[in-house]
Amino acid sequence: GNHDFDLGPDGLGKSIGVASKAGRVPALLAANTNFAGSDATLSELQHLVKDGVIRRHLVIERGGIRFGLFGLLGKEAQFYTTGAGAVTFSDAIETAKEMVKVVRETEKVDVVICLSHGGLEKGKDGRYREGDDVRLARAVPGIDVVIGGHSHTELHEAIIVNDQIPVVQTGLEGRNLGELVLTLE
């Protein structure tokens, strides 16, 4: 998310580097985050990308079902990203369209999950119906689930977009654990 860059790209790279040297860390998914510049503060992050610790997408197979996951930083979160320095971010919706194509066509996944740090917004009725996570689900065919963040919204039920795509978020600071049960046909 945006606070990952509070210590700058070099601080983020050092933190992830120490964690990865200490043992196995889960893949960090950052599809629309670009570390390709020539700035020296990017060197550790570039090394982590080369080593596969930071990736654009990941495929997990469970019970014969292939899940394709990718991570995005939404437009509002990008706005609040201080200290990112030489890191740049591509458009989340355009990147999501690209990632869906890659995981569906090249990786042959059955389910596409977007891990988004975009956020949700309340509508005039006080219910959460908008925000970067919802706009993403609306705009990108082929996403099956959006697991969101950034706005720290504690949803007790999924927001269903286009009558089929659940958008979920569990709040902040690990206070809650969410469970989403999907039925595949």
Side-chain angles (χ1 to χ4, degrees), residues 50-106:
K50 182 180 171 193
D51 289 347
V53 175
I54 300 174
R55 307 177 196 184
R56 296 189 79 208
H57 72 279
L58 176 68
V59 176
I60 299 171
E61 189 167 333
R62 298 288 188 275
I65 299 171
R66 291 176 57 83
F67 297 88
L69 295 89
F70 63 94
L72 295 174
L73 195 68
K75 189 179 288 188
E76 181 181 305
Q78 290 174 31
F79 177 78
Y80 289 106
T81 301
T82 58
V87 176
T88 60
F89 305 95
S90 57
D91 181 77
I93 290 175
E94 292 308 311
T95 302
K97 289 177 182 177
E98 175 192 349
M99 289 291 93
V100 166
K101 185 174 182 174
V102 167
V103 296
R104 288 265 186 217
E105 295 177 13
T106 305

Side-chain angles (χ1 to χ4, degrees), residues 44-169:
E44 184 65 28
L45 290 168
Q46 292 166 344
H47 180 71
L48 293 163
V49 169
K50 182 180 171 193
D51 289 347
V53 175
I54 300 174
R55 307 177 196 184
R56 296 189 79 208
H57 72 279
L58 176 68
V59 176
I60 299 171
E61 189 167 333
R62 298 288 188 275
I65 299 171
R66 291 176 57 83
F67 297 88
L69 295 89
F70 63 94
L72 295 174
L73 195 68
K75 189 179 288 188
E76 181 181 305
Q78 290 174 31
F79 177 78
Y80 289 106
T81 301
T82 58
V87 176
T88 60
F89 305 95
S90 57
D91 181 77
I93 290 175
E94 292 308 311
T95 302
K97 289 177 182 177
E98 175 192 349
M99 289 291 93
V100 166
K101 185 174 182 174
V102 167
V103 296
R104 288 265 186 217
E105 295 177 13
T106 305
E107 301 287 357
K108 307 292 186 207
V109 302
D110 303 299
V111 178
V112 176
I113 301 171
C114 175
L115 305 174
S116 172
H117 198 81
L120 298 171
E121 300 166 6
K122 277 186 183 179
K124 292 179 182 179
D125 63 358
R127 297 179 67 195
Y128 289 95
R129 298 181 188 268
E130 288 299 323
D132 282 354
D133 293 342
V134 172
R135 285 187 284 276
L136 181 69
R138 257 192 221 124
V140 184
I143 292 177
D144 295 306
V145 177
V146 175
I147 299 174
H150 182 62
S151 57
H152 304 167
T153 308
E154 185 178 321
L155 293 177
H156 296 277
E157 292 185 20
I159 299 169
I160 305 299
V161 177
N162 297 341
D163 296 323
Q164 65 184 6
I165 305 164
V167 175
V168 296
Q169 205 177 124

